[in-house]
Amino acid sequence: MSQLLRRGLIAALAPVGVPTADIVVTDDIGDRACAVQVKTRRQLGSDGGWHMKAKHECIRGASLFYVFLSFPNDVGALPDAFVVPSTVVADVLRISHQTWLARPGRKGQPHKDGEMRRFLPDYSHLDLADTYGPAWLEPYRDAWNQLRADASGGLST
């Protein structure tokens, strides 16, 4: 929320019980209202990803964004932030999970479907490097400008 406020946006915690948003955001004249769901992780673990659920494959909205925060092990450093539209998140989770399900497990057995998903900065291990390789998430790094409207009412880039 501090990053949004620093950029001149108005940000407030969403009311308790709102299932798809942690923060509600608007600009100073109310031209743009959007919702943000925050996902955090520490720089631990092997895949560098964030935990998600099956329901996130279906949560889509033109004014809903995820902010994926990666907190470094150095407590004095700022986290890496990736601002990603919900439609992109839903597509990536669906495609990567379906690809994973279609592949055999370590011992050749079929994978079992479940609720958990992983939102990763690199899906090369699933042979998705052409679309979701090591740098696919970089355009969303600190892309806070997506939360503002341009003069025509669309998203600014």
Side-chain angles (χ1 to χ4, degrees), residues 3 23 33 56 73 82 124 130:
Q3 292 295 329
I23 301 171
H56 293 107
N73 294 329
F82 302 90
S124 296
D130 289 345

Side-chain angles (χ1 to χ4, degrees), residues 41-42 44-50 70 118-122 137:
R41 73 172 195 89
R42 291 193 48 217
L44 302 173
S46 59
D47 67 4
W50 293 265
S70 178
R118 292 292 284 167
F119 186 79
L120 301 174
D122 181 6
L137 201 49

